[in-house]
Amino acid sequence: MLIRRAPDLKSSEITTESQYLNRREWIASMGALGAVTAFPSIAKALGASPQGQDPKPIGTPMGLQPNDTPTPWADVTGYNNFYEFGTGKEDPAENARAFKPLPWTVRVEGMVNKPADYQLEDFLKPHKVEDRIYRMRCVEAWSMVIPWRGIQLSDVLKRAEPTSSAKFVEMTTLFDPRRMPGQNSRVLDWPYVEGLRLDEAMHPLTMLATGVYGRTLPNQNGAPLRLVVPWKYGFKGVKSIVRIRLVDRQPRNTWNLSAPEEYGFYSNVNPEVDHPRWSQASERRIGEFRRRPTLMFNGYADQVASLYSGMDLRKNY
Amino acid sequence: MIGKGELREPRWFGRVLVVLLCVPAVLVILGLTSDILRGTRYFGSDPVKEGEHFLGEWTLRLVLATLAITPLRQLTGWNWLAKHRRTLGLFAFAYVILHWSAYAFLDVQLNWADLKTDLLKRPYIYLGMIALTLMIPMAITSTKAMIRRLGRNWARLHRAVYVVAILGVIHFGMAVKKDLTEPFIYGAVLAALLGWRVVRALKNRAAMAQ
């Protein structure tokens, strides 16, 4: 392959905002010709936020490897899987722009002594908000390092007082096709549902995130409240949660319903168990070229491996 | 015959076609080089994947374009289009080689174990590889001398393009995670191009029988 060095960018060549806005109009006008489908990322590149204005990553690094550095803000907030706002990686940032996450109600129900409907502020108020930097591994074999802000799910569950019969936690995304246009397509069985075993949900690493990079969670990242389970594939992190239900049976999660042989309930990051269509042994870190080896439980084995002792992780993928 | 357009070939057509067909390749090579070496985002946050898919889609577009020449000629009477089919076919081959290179060198990064399991165990990979392999003899026999030398067999050999196009669409459909919209669009275009031929063949046969 021919590799040519691109010419260096002079500061005089940097696009001003008005030029960039004009270019966006031009790109929009090319849409009819299919130019945008042919060159989608050029449109995206023009929309990238100028260097130096991005927020600084804050938080306690947890489970990071020595060569892990936080993924840039533009990637964390511009490269998302959130099918409620479209199936392309750059669709959510575009299509979630008009979404208004507040006011927001979260229902806690099922096998708990204290079921309740909370306004988001009341839901969060009693709990300690923390900034933590976690590794994130997508089932599609790419990864990021993300500075999350949020609370521990265990605090929420303790407050609700699960009964002795509660064994699993099921979490559900908002279903409102007018606000989430992707739900007008049948690409998945809406609403999006995810679940954890109660001990996984109670694990201190499991978070409900309300922010990234010290800022309020952008819509495309699952505003106003989303799950973060750093040792599992990213799709376990259900976004825009409206319901948390304690149940005694393993919930059917959306991707498992959609393709059972490809996506399991546990979905623990595991380099030894391949996805049927690709290897999970390595990953591409967003912003890096060389593939990295994928780590067992995404590098959190010391903290979580004991949850699965004695289990066949090939069967329980 | 439908629509006997008498439009003659514009003199610039061949040269402009070649230049246009180079544009996506130049963009992806410059864009990926910059994204990989300098951390720009012309091809998004995961430029290797994006570039790989970009090249794959252009391959498919060009394969379909070669199949569009005959119907287009029959519809418009612009018979001079026929001689540009080779250009389209050779560019399709160049793009599939770039697509494969992006996969092997940039994506899998020449990890032999991964290449081997991909090839043996993953249907969408080996279907794609079969399509690529079928394109090699067609590219080699695209010269005038080869056309002359192979005679009737040349046409037989180049019928493999139908298999290549079908495998290409299936390869694309199996590679996407969930949203099949785009593969369906390519599939519909391919069905129309093949359907056109079937309908014409049936009509011709009926006319011969009378």
Side-chain angles (χ1 to χ4, degrees):
Chain A
M1 205 175 125
L2 178 69
I3 308 272
R4 229 183 254 135
R5 220 182 113 72
D8 283 326
L9 193 70
K10 294 195 203 88
S11 63
S12 60
E13 290 169 15
I14 292 171
T15 318
T16 65
E17 191 177 357
S18 64
Q19 283 171 335
Y20 140 73
L21 289 171
N22 286 338
R23 286 224 234 172
R24 281 187 73 91
E25 277 168 25
W26 176 78
I27 284 163
S29 71
M30 292 292 280
L33 298 170
V36 169
T37 15
F39 311 108
S41 17
I42 289 167
K44 199 237 159 174
L46 295 171
S49 80
Q51 291 290 308
Q53 291 184 12
D54 293 349
K56 293 259 176 302
I58 55 166
T60 318
M62 296 180 94
L64 299 198
Q65 303 296 308
N67 56 355
D68 280 335
T69 49
T71 302
W73 160 264
D75 296 316
V76 171
T77 60
Y79 192 76
N80 309 97
N81 273 325
F82 194 1
Y83 281 22
E84 282 79 348
F85 291 104
T87 56
K89 296 282 188 295
E90 287 147 23
D91 292 347
E94 186 69 32
N95 299 334
R97 208 171 283 170
F99 182 75
K100 290 200 172 53
L102 295 175
W104 193 265
T105 312
V106 186
R107 167 168 291 183
V108 180
E109 63 173 15
M111 296 172 165
V112 289
N113 291 325
K114 294 182 177 166
D117 282 349
Y118 295 101
Q119 284 305 304
L120 186 69
E121 309 80 83
D122 304 327
F123 178 81
L124 299 172
K125 207 179 289 164
H127 307 304
K128 186 177 158 207
V129 176
E130 283 180 77
D131 289 292
R132 296 177 178 181
I133 307 180
Y134 281 168
R135 297 158 59 89
M136 202 283 294
R137 169 64 155 78
C138 178
V139 73
E140 298 163 2
W142 53 266
S143 65
M144 293 186 181
V145 175
I146 304 178
W148 297 108
R149 166 170 288 183
I151 59 177
Q152 275 187 207
L153 177 60
S154 62
D155 290 345
V156 170
L157 297 176
K158 280 176 202 154
R159 185 185 183 196
E161 297 178 9
T163 64
S164 58
S165 42
K167 297 284 183 288
F168 294 90
V169 184
E170 178 196 273
M171 278 161 273
T172 308
T173 298
L174 172 73
F175 179 69
D176 188 345
R178 275 171 309 165
R179 296 166 69 194
M180 295 183 150
Q183 290 175 336
N184 290 307
S185 134
R186 296 260 182 96
V187 63
L188 287 174
D189 211 354
W190 312 113
Y192 197 94
V193 176
E194 260 305 340
L196 295 172
R197 224 167 52 190
L198 189 55
D199 57 343
E200 297 174 324
M202 292 297 290
H203 194 280
L205 282 172
T206 306
M207 277 178 97
L208 286 175
T210 58
V212 287
Y213 267 89
R215 293 189 178 175
T216 306
L217 201 60
N219 293 338
Q220 61 269 32
N221 293 82
L225 187 72
R226 63 155 306 159
L227 180 68
V228 176
V229 196
W231 71 93
K232 291 178 181 283
Y233 293 121
F235 71 87
K236 292 297 284 184
V238 46
K239 302 183 176 85
S240 305
I241 298 168
V242 290
R243 196 172 67 207
I244 299 173
R245 179 155 60 188
L246 280 285
V247 292
D248 57 356
R249 283 204 204 137
Q250 183 174 303
R252 285 299 300 271
N253 47 319
T254 298
W255 276 103
N256 178 247
L257 280 167
S258 156
E261 66 294 339
E262 298 194 344
Y263 310 101
F265 172 76
Y266 284 95
S267 301
N268 292 317
V269 176
N270 188 340
E272 286 155 27
V273 179
D274 283 350
H275 185 281
R277 286 183 286 153
W278 56 83
S279 162
Q280 296 290 30
S282 65
E283 65 203 48
R284 208 169 27 248
R285 175 65 50 80
I286 297 303
E288 293 179 5
F289 173 64
R290 294 293 303 177
R291 293 188 84 97
R292 291 166 168 255
T294 290
L295 304 177
M296 191 66 202
F297 296 112
N298 199 26
Y300 297 91
D302 289 348
Q303 293 95 313
V304 302
S306 59
L307 295 174
Y308 309 101
S309 56
M311 270 177 73
D312 183 348
L313 296 177
R314 274 180 194 281
K315 281 198 186 116
N316 298 289
Y317 55 92
Chain B
M1 269 305 216
I2 327 161
K4 277 201 177 142
E6 284 302 306
L7 181 78
R8 279 193 299 168
E9 176 177 9
R11 268 190 303 159
W12 45 262
F13 188 86
R15 268 165 290 159
V16 170
L17 182 67
V18 167
V19 171
L20 284 180
L21 292 177
C22 285
V23 169
V26 170
L27 281 180
V28 76
I29 290 170
L30 292 179
L32 283 193
T33 307
S34 165
D35 286 356
I36 291 167
L37 297 181
R38 305 191 313 144
T40 51
R41 293 288 186 276
Y42 291 108
F43 279 78
S45 293
D46 195 356
V48 168
K49 196 108 256 177
E50 183 79 23
E52 190 179 336
H53 293 170
F54 177 91
L55 287 163
E57 287 203 46
W58 273 102
T59 305
L60 208 44
R61 287 180 191 133
L62 291 170
V63 169
L64 294 181
T66 62
L67 289 177
I69 293 284
T70 299
L72 210 58
R73 215 157 49 89
Q74 289 161 345
L75 276 169
T76 62
W78 302 347
N79 285 321
W80 49 268
L81 282 171
K83 68 168 184 252
H84 299 294
R85 199 166 57 172
R86 171 170 39 197
T87 310
L88 293 171
L90 283 173
F91 267 96
F93 183 67
Y95 277 91
V96 84
I97 294 298
L98 286 175
H99 174 55
W100 182 85
S101 304
Y103 157 75
F105 294 102
L106 304 181
D107 188 350
V108 186
Q109 305 186 349
L110 292 186
N111 179 322
W112 296 111
D114 280 356
L115 284 173
K116 206 176 107 190
T117 30
D118 268 5
L119 193 55
L120 298 177
K121 283 212 268 183
R122 315 211 200 279
Y124 80 101
I125 302 271
Y126 60 67
L127 292 181
M129 283 299 294
I130 291 170
L132 182 151
T133 311
L134 286 173
M135 288 169 86
I136 297 172
M138 288 198 282
I140 292 173
T141 58
S142 64
T143 60
K144 283 203 177 104
M146 277 305 226
I147 296 172
R148 233 174 286 128
R149 196 193 298 179
L150 289 175
R152 290 186 58 194
N153 286 329
W154 186 90
R156 280 190 197 143
L157 175 67
H158 282 248
R159 260 177 235 146
V161 69
Y162 300 120
V163 183
V164 168
I166 292 167
L167 289 178
V169 171
I170 296 174
H171 166 74
F172 185 24
M174 292 177 81
V176 302
K177 192 176 174 192
K178 193 67 205 170
D179 187 356
L180 286 168
T181 317
E182 282 195 54
F184 269 125
I185 294 170
Y186 285 93
V189 172
L190 175 61
L193 294 172
L194 297 182
W196 170 271
R197 290 170 165 80
V198 172
V199 169
R200 259 184 85 90
L202 291 177
K203 273 192 186 157
N204 283 345
R205 192 172 296 177
M208 297 260 271
Q210 278 179 359

